[in-house]
Amino acid sequence: MEETLDGVIIGSGHNSLACAVHLAAQGWKVGVFERASVAGGAVKTGEYTLPGYSHDWAAMNLSLFAGSAFFKEYGEELGRSGLEFAPASDCFSSVFPDGSWLGVSNDLETTAKRIDAIDADDGKTWRELTAAFPAMAEPLVGLLGSPAKKRAFAYILYKHWRKSGMDGVLDLGRFLMSSPRDWLNETFRSPKVRALLGAWGMHLDFAPDISGGALFPYLEGMANQAFGMVLGKGGAGAAINAMVSTLEARGGSVTLNADVTRILVENGEAKGIELADGRKVMARNAVIANVAPGALLKLAGETGDQRYNDRLKTFSHAPGTMMIHLAVDALPDWSAGEELKDFAYVHLAPEVDQMARTYAQAQAGLLPDEPVIVCGQPTVIDPSRAPDGKHVLWLQVRMVPAVINGDAAGQIEETDWEVVADKYAERVLDILERYAPGTRSKILGRHVVTPLMLEADNPNLVGGDQICGSHHLTQHFMFRPVRGFADGSTPVGNLFHTGAAVWPGAGTGAGPGYLLAQKLAG
């Protein structure tokens, strides 16, 4: 028996759900179909170690979601559907081998005085950057939040020209093309300040020397300084649960354990989808696929546009990620200072050169000798995620290869992730132990997630790439995923593409889904 809807969406990530909510609000009858047993894709929360300990599977930080245009429009409804935020004023920090630390808190003078103690000139620079941030944020946020159209980008640059002149436009362009190292070296004197901010590039795939990467350390540093960080109360999955409830309240639906095997295309136009059990769901207005670019061709077949087909086939993915979820008896005892227990993130990435080496090793298929580690301490901000007095740690290991060719440290001989996982997790814990002795003795439960496990759980995370595709300049802005199709359109009529592989890319801001919904239904 066939079912007919106005819009059919493949995949239940936050972009899919943002798209579905807006379409439903505009009167569409929308159905979301998800192959997994839980909605959310990379944004979900579960008890992966022990009962009562809630861990964020991949994404933890919901600041972009809380500040998004989608949330601005639907935040009230999401709140009625149960979404609550847990704000963090002590946002992120880095620890260093000499026993010191540096961190960004929401209070300007608190942060600036920490930097003053390292380098007074850098403290002055931090205050100046913070003061200038509102003016700088206007064109940057405008670009990142606008449809990927020449006219939209030109209008934003025109407005910036009216305010800042041609020199301002050229300076903005130069900044957007700069690598993290370029900008950090030009802006700060202290290697510690550079490392503190440079670590944010590694959350995407912007190693220190990748052009176009300066934007992200800058935005994360300034936004956390200005607004703090936001987590979801109970876990990042709280946002997904609220979106599903909001969609259902508006007449939409989410069907789980529904594996889509084919997009039905007739005469160059998408008509619906076929599920693994043989069911067909037809679409009056749009079939929307939140899938990795390579998967779109497998579902829909060749599109008739060879340039588009070729580009999807060669779409480049970032190196993989490893996750380690820990249930712990107590927070790490950081050697650098008790204050570190207050921070949402502690970066174990002490040098810009180390970050560059880690990235190069992972790209070469080597297990990095000293991976970049993001230690999330969510229960500091949201105690509801663990039993009283207990905690969870969220360890994100960046970067690691999906296919292992060897070990940069020369210690692990095996190349099969099933064998390597626990051995490499021990290397990560050795590094954590170096900065917080005794952490191993606090572990009550552990769950290691390899890059291949991330992909098996969510095929969009190809090779464990948590951002569904490199954001390097050749694959960003109007080139994401293909020039001429960065607005979610495809060469096939009524078939649309969304998710992190589509402009404006990865993150929890739901931009690709929300922009597409506005394009389709106003």
Side-chain angles (χ1 to χ4, degrees):
M1 185 175 71
E2 288 186 1
E3 178 183 7
T4 301
L5 303 170
D6 295 316
V8 174
I9 301 179
I10 304 169
S12 67
H14 67 287
N15 278 295
S16 294
L17 295 173
C19 185
V21 166
H22 187 69
L23 292 177
Q26 304 307 309
W28 286 38
K29 187 175 182 181
V30 183
V32 177
F33 296 84
E34 169 60 53
R35 66 185 286 276
S37 59
V38 178
V43 185
K44 60 186 176 184
T45 305
E47 296 181 340
Y48 306 125
T49 57
L50 298 171
Y53 292 81
S54 296
H55 304 269
D56 289 335
W57 176 252
M60 180 180 117
N61 181 355
L62 292 186
S63 297
L64 287 175
F65 186 80
S68 68
F70 172 77
F71 185 79
K72 184 177 181 180
E73 182 165 358
Y74 293 102
E76 202 171 298
E77 286 183 66
L78 295 172
R80 290 197 298 269
S81 294
L83 176 59
E84 294 182 59
F85 291 127
S89 57
D90 293 314
C91 308
F92 67 93
S93 57
S94 287
V95 288
F96 303 103
D98 65 0
S100 64
W101 69 278
L102 186 59
V104 171
S105 298
N106 189 212
D107 179 76
L108 173 58
E109 280 308 304
T110 297
T111 303
K113 286 177 180 176
R114 291 181 188 136
I115 299 174
D116 283 339
I118 295 174
D119 189 293
D121 286 343
D122 284 353
K124 179 175 179 287
T125 297
W126 187 265
R127 291 178 177 90
E128 291 170 349
L129 286 172
T130 301
F133 179 55
M136 184 68 166
E138 184 177 353
L140 293 178
V141 173
L143 285 170
L144 294 174
S146 73
K149 296 180 179 178
K150 295 176 185 176
R151 180 175 294 180
F153 286 171
Y155 178 65
I156 291 164
L157 293 175
Y158 170 73
K159 286 204 307 180
H160 190 56
W161 172 75
R162 289 290 300 269
K163 286 188 174 183
S164 305
M166 183 53 68
D167 286 347
V169 172
L170 292 173
D171 287 345
L172 177 64
R174 181 177 184 273
F175 172 68
L176 290 173
M177 292 187 290
S178 295
S179 72
R181 193 193 297 267
D182 289 336
W183 178 69
L184 291 167
N185 285 351
E186 288 177 1
T187 309
F188 299 104
R189 300 199 318 172
S190 168
K192 292 180 179 179
V193 179
R194 295 170 185 169
L196 172 72
L197 295 174
W200 278 107
M202 301 294 282
H203 281 249
L204 291 175
D205 61 328
F206 283 108
D209 301 301
I210 303 297
S211 295
L215 173 65
F216 299 98
Y218 169 77
L219 279 181
E220 287 291 350
M222 292 295 98
N224 278 275
Q225 180 63 82
F227 309 116
M229 187 180 288
V230 170
L231 307 185
K233 191 169 184 180
I240 298 299
N241 296 338
M243 294 168 85
V244 170
S245 295
T246 299
L247 174 62
E248 291 174 344
R250 287 188 171 274
S253 64
V254 177
T255 304
L256 302 174
N257 300 305
D259 190 9
V260 177
T261 56
R262 187 162 64 106
I263 295 171
L264 304 173
V265 179
E266 295 178 11
N267 299 320
E269 187 170 296
K271 299 293 185 180
I273 60 172
E274 184 174 16
L275 303 175
D277 61 9
R279 283 184 296 157
K280 294 181 180 180
V281 183
M282 311 309 290
R284 296 185 187 92
N285 301 331
V287 174
I288 299 165
N290 183 350
V291 298
L296 183 61
L297 286 182
K298 292 177 182 176
L299 289 172
E302 299 287 311
T303 66
D305 184 322
Q306 195 59 48
R307 180 178 69 87
Y308 181 83
N309 296 342
D310 291 345
R311 185 67 191 95
L312 291 195
K313 291 174 184 175
T314 58
F315 186 81
S316 175
H317 285 274
T321 301
M322 183 181 191
M323 299 295 306
I324 303 175
H325 301 297
L326 299 178
V328 292
D329 191 48
L331 290 170
D333 291 311
W334 299 100
S335 298
E338 191 76 7
E339 303 99 318
L340 284 166
K341 291 183 178 181
D342 297 330
F343 281 82
Y345 282 164
V346 181
H347 286 125
L348 281 61
E351 297 175 348
V352 169
D353 286 343
Q354 174 230 341
M355 299 177 212
R357 186 177 72 247
T358 293
Y359 187 83
Q361 289 170 347
Q363 286 283 58
L366 301 177
L367 296 166
D369 55 354
E370 181 94 359
V372 169
I373 301 168
V374 187
C375 180
Q377 303 180 124
T379 37
V380 171
I381 316 304
D382 175 23
S384 71
R385 300 183 185 208
D388 287 347
K390 309 299 182 184
H391 293 273
V392 300
L393 294 182
W394 178 93
L395 299 183
Q396 187 182 58
V397 187
R398 308 193 67 94
M399 310 280 189
V400 293
V403 178
I404 303 170
N405 294 328
D407 177 16
Q411 297 169 349
I412 299 174
E413 297 180 356
E414 296 85 358
T415 57
D416 183 341
W417 267 114
E418 287 191 11
V419 180
V420 168
D422 285 331
K423 293 185 177 184
Y424 201 68
E426 289 303 314
R427 180 175 299 173
V428 173
L429 293 178
D430 284 344
I431 296 170
L432 178 59
E433 193 83 8
R434 189 190 311 160
Y435 291 99
T439 301
R440 265 197 181 89
S441 66
K442 303 175 191 290
I443 296 174
L444 304 172
R446 178 174 99 172
H447 185 233
V448 178
V449 185
T450 70
L452 301 187
M453 290 168 66
L454 286 171
E455 181 176 0
D457 176 79
N458 180 355
N460 287 4
L461 310 185
V462 176
D465 167 19
Q466 285 196 352
I467 55 176
C468 198
S470 167
H471 287 68
H472 296 179
L473 288 176
T474 55
Q475 199 168 271
H476 203 34
F477 293 97
M478 300 184 77
F479 302 101
R480 189 169 189 88
V482 181
R483 175 176 53 79
F485 298 96
D487 62 350
S489 61
T490 75
V492 178
N494 290 344
L495 175 62
F496 300 90
H497 193 189
T498 193
V502 180
W503 169 260
T508 56
Y514 185 54
L515 285 172
L516 178 60
Q518 290 178 310
K519 169 187 170 71
L520 293 176

